[in-house]
Structure formats: structure tokens, C-alpha cells
């Protein structure tokens, strides 16, 4: 049988059909069995270089010292040469005054001091005399109490009714007596009140305490009252109050004498600084806000409640408002070192202070030897993982610019460590989980990654020092697509590298 040959046209058509079928089958198989796309990653090389670790904090600016220029009462202001916010140099004249009227003011202060000395000496002498009289009174009171006990024993021989009546009389008289004493001690003028009560007792009118009060009981009351008065006079509070007033008056007198001498030249800036207050105007006569009269009984009453007498008196004598205040250079920044940073910072460390995008140089000049408990709230205290404590520290700025404003917060950067010729990787290459700290190293030949634990050294804002776990020239993974998790041995596709 003769075989029929295909025409060329038919052969071409069949070939095309076979190719199309093969392509369709291959496409279908690829759709079902195609491999997942490789994760696209970014990489960077492990390099050697220098790195500096910086500690960044914030703090509040203040001046290291203030020049408080206080006007003297009765001084007339001639000129005021500065305004708030102005910068002054050492030796600048801030204001001038007419000092012709100050002689009378000085005389008043001298007289006030002499009066204070006299009052203190009187109080001291009275205390010595009162102590001696107290011994005599206590001895006499002991005799009276024995006599009253003896009388009570004799009364016991009488009927119980008489005894109860007498006890009631003694009790009522005693209650009324101490009621009067309590009222006297609670009055503003204690000495006058006690004196009035003493006159009442010495009047011989025993009816003020009810009927049936014996002469011996009246004498006891008089002595008890005298004892209260003498104890008040011999106590240390009265003496210390007068002594503090005397010392404060002397301090005021010395200050006034020195001030009058300096006022003749005007108020002069002692250092470079900035003016923060101006409370005087040309032509005005300065008047002190301090009280001219001191209520001694009020001071004693306050001091009896464990209040420091010197603080009370100085508060009463020192209420004068500053005429001009200059915040002297250098400025300081107060900040707190946390527990993790205390041993990284040392005295005399240089630092950078940033205020309103302006950077000035500073030096660490103070680190407290004692930790303080913070009054604020931090995350660790909320979750119970630690306490908000730290160490107070100061940075000094010798040459502040106009951007460094007292009372505002500034940023502090301190270089706490620096190393040269060490292995470095970008910070985003370092990962942490329950297994520890690690990186993924990329092999460009196999296109696969290797899990490698690393030991870190110091760091800066963008890099870590690698102590172990990597070699120079290694390629590490720095980023992966969101949601992608890598594992040891995975194959990846590098899209960017550094």
C-alpha cells in the first residue's frame, strides 16, 4: 500500500499545533508547580572604622549665681541704665542714686541694732534671775504639798461627807485656776496676761475660785502662776528669739554700711550676665517692704511649734524686693542621670548643648554622690519593673548665646565612649529575640543566608560595634519586606546593597 505524503503546508500546521499544545501544557504545569518568589532584601557590608557612643538627655537652664541689687529704704534713684533681657559686662553701671538722705537711714539701723542688743541682754539677765527664783518656788511648793497632804490626812478622821465636800472644793478651785492660766497663755501679750492674773491672785479675793478655798491653797496657786511665768522667762525660746533678732539687725546694719559705700558709685555688675528683673525707675524713692515692727509673742508662739526662729525673723526682716537682678554667667543645665548611665559620665567631660537649633559647648561640672527619688512617673514605675530614681548632675555653659534662655529645657549630648578600627554594622542589621542578639550573613555565591549570633560593643545613632560573630567584608541583611520572616539557610534576592 502506497503511503500518502503530507504536504508542506500540512506539516507546518501540525508543527504549530504541537508547539501550541506543548506551550499550553507547560504554562499549566508552571502555574501549579512554580516556586515561591525569593524575599527581596537589602544588605550592607561589615566594615572597620571609628565609632563614638553619645548619651542624649534634656535639662533646664539656670544661672550659676544671681546678682540681686536691693535698694536701701529712702534712696532716690537717679538713673536706670539697663532693661530686662539686656546683656551686661563686668563693670557696667546698672543704676545710680542720690545718697544724701542715707545718713538718717543709717542712724535708724544703728538705733535698731542697739535696741535689739538691749532686749537680748535683758532677756538673758531675766532668764538667770528666773532660774534662781524657780528653785525657791519649787522648794516652797514641796512644803505646801506636804502640808496639804497632812491636812487631808486629818480630814480623813472626819465624816466622809465633809471629806467629799472639801475634795470637790479643791478640785473646782484648781480647775478654775488652770483655766485662767490657759487663757493667759493663749493671749497675744502673754506677759501682760500673766501679770494681770498675778495681780488678781494677790488681791486676796479668793471668791474668784469659789467658796472654801484655804489660804494655803491660794498661796499654792500664786506660786504655780509665778512658776509658769518664770519658766517662760527662763526658757531658751525667748532668749534665742531676741538673739536672732539682734544678729539679724547687726547683719542689716553691716549690709547697709557696705551698701551706702557702694551706692555712691552706683550698682555695678560683678560679672558678665543678662538682666532678668528691673523693679526701679528714675526719680523714685525706694521703700522697703520689710515690716518695721516685729511681734515677739507671735515669733515665740511659732517657734514653740518647732519652727526655726532664724527662718521666721529673717523672713520678717528680709522681705525687700530686688531692684535689679542679673543672671550671671556661666549658666548651668540641671539634669538627671539614670541608673544605666551613672558610671558612663565623669566630671569635666565636654558636651554639646542644643537650644533652638543652636549648639554651644558645655562641661559636666557636678555629679551628686547621692541618688534621689524622682517625683515624676515613668514607664518602669507603672509596670513595677523599677523605681524612678537617678543622680542629679549639672553642665556648665561658659559662653551661652541668646538661644540659651533661663528656665527653658535644652538637649544635652555627652560623648561617653569612643573606639577606632573596630567592626561596624548598621543598627538595622542587628536583631533581638529570645535566642539572643544575631544577624543574617548573606552568601552571594549560594544566595543563601546564615544565622549568626553576635556580641555587641558600643553604638551610636546608626551603627553597632561587633565584638564577635562577624568578619570584615561579611554581607549582612539590613531589611526585609514587611511580614516576611527569615530563617537560617533561606535563599534571598538582594535588591539594594551598601
Amino acid at each position: 500500500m502506497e503511503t500518502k505524503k503530507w504536504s508542506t503546508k500540512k506539516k507546518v500546521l501540525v508543527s504549530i499545533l504541537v508547539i501550541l499544545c506543548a506551550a499550553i501544557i507547560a504554562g499549566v504545569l508552571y502555574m501549579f508547580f512554580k516556586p515561591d518568589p525569593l524575599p527581596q532584601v537589602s544588605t550592607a557590608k561589615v566594615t572597620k572604622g571609628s565609632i563614638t557612643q553619645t548619651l542624649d538627655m534634656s535639662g533646664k537652664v539656670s544661672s550659676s549665681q544671681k546678682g540681686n541689687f536691693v535698694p536701701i529704704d529712702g534712696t532716690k534713684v537717679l538713673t536706670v541704665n539697663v532693661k530686662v533681657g539686656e546683656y551686661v559686662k563686668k563693670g557696667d553701671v546698672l543704676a545710680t542714686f542720690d545718697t544724701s538722705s542715707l545718713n538718717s537711714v543709717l542712724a535708724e539701723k544703728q538705733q535698731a541694732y542697739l535696741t535689739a542688743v538691749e532686749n537680748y541682754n535683758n532677756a538673758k539677765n531675766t532668764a538667770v534671775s528666773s532660774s534662781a527664783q524657780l528653785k525657791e518656788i519649787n522648794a516652797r511648793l514641796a512644803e505646801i504639798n506636804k502640808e496639804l497632804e497632812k491636812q487631808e490626812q486629818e480630814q480623813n478622821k472626819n465624816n466622809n461627807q465633809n471629806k467629799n465636800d472639801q475634795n470637790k472644793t479643791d478640785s473646782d478651785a484648781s480647775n478654775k485656776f488652770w483655766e485662767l492660766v490657759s487663757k493667759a497663755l493663749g493671749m497675744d501679750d502673754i506677759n501682760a496676761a500673766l501679770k494681770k492674773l498675778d495681780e488678781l491672785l494677790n488681791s486676796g479675793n479668793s471668791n474668784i475660785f469659789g467658796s472654801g478655798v484655804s489660804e494655803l491653797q491660794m498661796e499654792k496657786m500664786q506660786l504655780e502662776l509665778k512658776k509658769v511665768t518664770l519658766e517662760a522667762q527662763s526658757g531658751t525660746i525667748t532668749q534665742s528669739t531676741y538673739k536672732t533678732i539682734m544678729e539679724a539687725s547687726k547683719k542689716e546694719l553691716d549690709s547697709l554700711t557696705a551698701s551706702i559705700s557702694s551706692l555712691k558709685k552706683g550698682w555695678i555688675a560683678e560679672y558678665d550676665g543678662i538682666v532678668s528683673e528691673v523693679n526701679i525707675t528714675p526719680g523714685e524713692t525706694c521703700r522697703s517692704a520689710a515690716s518695721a515692727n516685729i511681734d515677739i509673742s507671735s515669733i515665740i508662739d511659732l517657734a514653740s511649734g518647732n519652727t526655726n526662729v532664724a527662718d521666721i525673723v529673717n523672713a520678717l526682716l528680709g522681705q525687700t524686693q530686688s531692684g535689679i537682678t542679673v543672671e550671671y554667667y556661666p549658666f548651668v543645665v540641671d539634669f538627671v542621670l539614670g541608673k544605666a548611665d551613672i558610671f558612663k559620665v565623669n566630671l569635666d567631660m565636654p558636651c554639646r548643648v542644643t537650644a533652638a537649633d543652636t549648639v554651644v559647648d558645655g562641661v559636666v561640672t557636678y555629679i551628686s554622690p547621692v541618688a534621689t527619688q524622682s517625683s515624676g512617673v515613668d514607664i518602669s514605675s507603672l509596670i513595677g519593673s523599677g523605681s524612678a530614681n537617678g543622680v542629679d548632675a549639672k553642665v556648665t555653659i561658659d559662653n551661652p548665646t541668646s538661644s540659651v534662655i533661663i528656665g527653658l529645657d535644652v538637649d544635652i549630648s555627652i560623648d561617653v565612649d569612643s573606639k577606632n578600627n573596630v567592626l561596624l554594622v548598621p543598627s538595622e542589621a542587628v536583631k533581638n529575640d529570645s535566642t539572643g542578639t544575631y544577624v543574617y550573613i548573606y552568601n552571594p555565591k549560594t544566595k543563601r543566608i546564615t544565622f549568626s549570633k553576635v556580641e555587641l560593643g558600643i553604638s551610636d545613632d546608626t551603627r553597632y560595634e561587633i565584638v564577635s560573630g562577624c568578619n570584615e567584608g561579611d554581607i549582612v541583611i539590613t531589611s526585609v519586606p514587611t511580614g516576611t520572616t527569615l530563617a537560617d539557610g533561606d535563599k534571598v534576592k538582594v535588591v539594594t546593597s551598601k
Side-chain angles (χ1 to χ4, degrees):
M1 184 176 178
E2 184 179 359
T3 304
K4 188 176 181 179
K5 295 182 179 181
W6 285 8
S7 65
T8 301
K9 183 177 181 181
K10 184 180 287 188
K11 289 179 180 179
V12 172
L13 181 60
V14 171
S15 298
I16 292 173
L17 290 173
V18 171
I19 293 172
L20 286 174
C21 290
I24 292 171
I25 293 171
V28 171
L29 291 174
Y30 179 79
M31 291 296 296
F32 282 100
F33 300 104
K34 69 177 180 179
D36 293 332
L38 297 178
Q40 296 183 345
V41 299
S42 298
T43 61
K45 280 189 176 183
V46 179
T47 59
K48 277 193 173 182
S50 301
I51 185 172
T52 298
Q53 184 168 349
T54 301
L55 181 62
D56 295 317
M57 297 155 295
S58 63
K60 183 167 289 186
V61 180
S62 62
S63 60
S64 58
Q65 60 178 321
K66 291 185 179 183
N68 285 316
F69 295 87
V70 180
I72 301 174
D73 194 23
T75 306
K76 184 177 181 180
V77 181
L78 293 180
T79 62
V80 178
N81 305 324
V82 294
K83 297 178 181 179
V84 172
E86 283 189 3
Y87 291 90
V88 295
K89 295 289 186 181
K90 179 180 179 180
D92 284 353
V93 178
L94 309 177
T96 59
F97 304 89
D98 178 4
T99 60
S100 59
S101 63
L102 295 181
N103 290 333
S104 59
V105 177
L106 182 61
E108 290 177 3
K109 295 295 182 182
Q110 289 172 334
Q111 183 57 49
Y113 171 63
L114 293 176
T115 301
V117 171
E118 182 181 359
N119 290 337
Y120 170 64
N121 290 332
N122 289 339
K124 190 166 57 173
N125 295 332
T126 301
V128 174
S129 174
S130 298
S131 297
Q133 293 181 56
L134 275 172
K135 293 181 180 179
E136 298 177 2
I137 289 176
N138 286 330
R140 176 55 184 158
L141 282 172
E143 293 176 359
I144 292 176
N145 287 331
K146 287 182 180 180
E147 183 64 26
L148 290 174
E149 288 177 5
K150 183 178 179 181
Q151 292 179 5
E152 184 178 356
Q153 291 174 358
E154 292 177 355
Q155 290 173 357
N156 288 338
K157 300 177 182 179
N158 300 327
N159 59 60
N160 289 334
Q161 181 63 40
N162 291 337
K163 175 183 175 182
N164 291 337
D165 289 345
Q166 183 60 43
N167 287 343
K168 185 175 184 303
T169 299
D170 292 344
S171 177
D172 290 344
S174 179
N175 289 339
K176 289 183 179 180
F177 167 73
W178 287 112
E179 181 181 349
L180 289 172
V181 172
S182 297
K183 288 181 179 179
L185 293 175
M187 296 177 67
D188 290 336
D189 194 341
I190 298 174
N191 291 329
L194 291 175
K195 182 178 180 181
K196 188 70 175 178
L197 185 54
D198 183 49
E199 292 174 354
L200 188 62
L201 287 170
N202 289 323
S203 67
N205 183 12
S206 62
N207 292 329
I208 59 173
F209 301 111
S211 58
V213 178
S214 65
E215 291 183 2
L216 197 61
Q217 189 71 25
M218 281 292 294
E219 183 183 358
K220 179 182 178 180
M221 293 180 188
Q222 291 173 345
L223 291 174
E224 291 281 7
L225 177 62
K226 189 68 174 176
K227 181 179 177 180
V228 170
T229 304
L230 292 174
E231 284 177 343
Q233 294 173 344
S234 63
T236 58
I237 292 178
T238 302
Q239 290 184 66
S240 63
T241 300
Y242 279 109
K243 182 179 180 181
T244 302
I245 293 172
M246 178 186 69
E247 291 173 346
S249 298
K250 181 64 165 64
K251 183 178 179 181
E252 276 201 331
L253 177 59
D254 292 343
S255 176
L256 177 63
T257 302
S259 296
I260 290 176
S261 177
S262 65
L263 275 178
K264 293 179 180 179
K265 301 176 183 178
W267 283 345
I268 299 175
E270 298 178 28
Y271 309 97
D272 294 355
I274 184 171
V275 179
S276 61
E277 284 187 60
V278 176
N279 297 312
I280 58 174
T281 56
E284 77 166 300
T285 299
C286 299
R287 294 298 177 190
S288 170
S291 175
N293 299 314
I294 301 175
D295 185 354
I296 301 299
S297 62
S298 297
I299 296 176
I300 294 173
D301 185 51
L302 286 171
S304 301
N306 296 323
T307 305
N308 187 287
V309 176
D311 290 343
I312 299 168
V313 174
N314 288 333
L316 290 171
L317 292 176
Q319 297 173 358
T320 305
Q321 185 183 38
S322 173
I324 294 177
T325 301
V326 179
E327 308 285 350
Y328 286 134
Y329 297 154
F331 285 177
V332 295
V333 182
D334 297 289
F335 64 100
V336 177
L337 288 169
K339 291 183 289 186
D341 303 321
I342 291 172
F343 299 106
K344 297 178 183 177
V345 179
N346 299 312
L347 290 176
D348 300 323
M349 270 189 169
C351 64
R352 298 172 298 281
V353 179
T354 304
D357 298 327
T358 300
V359 180
V360 296
D361 293 330
V363 177
V364 178
T365 53
Y366 173 77
I367 300 175
S368 172
V370 180
T372 56
Q373 188 73 23
S374 172
S375 59
V377 178
D378 67 357
I379 297 299
S380 62
S381 64
L382 290 176
I383 64 176
S385 61
S387 58
N389 59 348
V391 167
D392 291 334
K394 294 180 186 291
V395 163
T396 297
I397 307 172
D398 288 321
N399 299 301
T401 65
S402 58
S403 299
V404 183
I405 300 174
I406 289 177
L408 292 185
D409 291 335
V410 294
D411 296 322
I412 306 167
S413 297
I414 305 174
D415 295 338
V416 294
D417 200 355
S418 183
K419 293 184 179 180
N420 298 316
N421 198 33
V422 294
L423 293 177
L424 302 172
V425 297
S427 56
E428 57 266 25
V430 179
K431 311 298 180 184
N432 289 280
D433 61 17
S434 58
T435 64
T437 304
Y438 60 91
V439 298
Y440 284 112
I441 300 176
Y442 174 71
N443 186 331
K445 293 181 179 180
T446 64
K447 293 182 172 51
R448 295 187 182 276
I449 60 174
T450 302
F451 174 89
S452 178
K453 282 193 173 182
V454 294
E455 180 184 351
L456 303 179
I458 65 174
S459 64
D460 60 17
D461 292 338
T462 60
R463 301 171 300 169
Y464 278 106
E465 174 199 2
I466 298 295
V467 178
S468 64
C470 288
N471 297 310
E472 184 180 7
D474 284 347
I475 301 174
V476 292
I477 306 299
T478 57
S479 66
V480 297
T482 303
T484 301
T485 302
L486 297 180
D488 187 42
D490 282 353
K491 200 170 186 179
V492 297
K493 180 181 179 180
V494 177
V495 291
T496 58
S497 61
K498 295 180 181 179

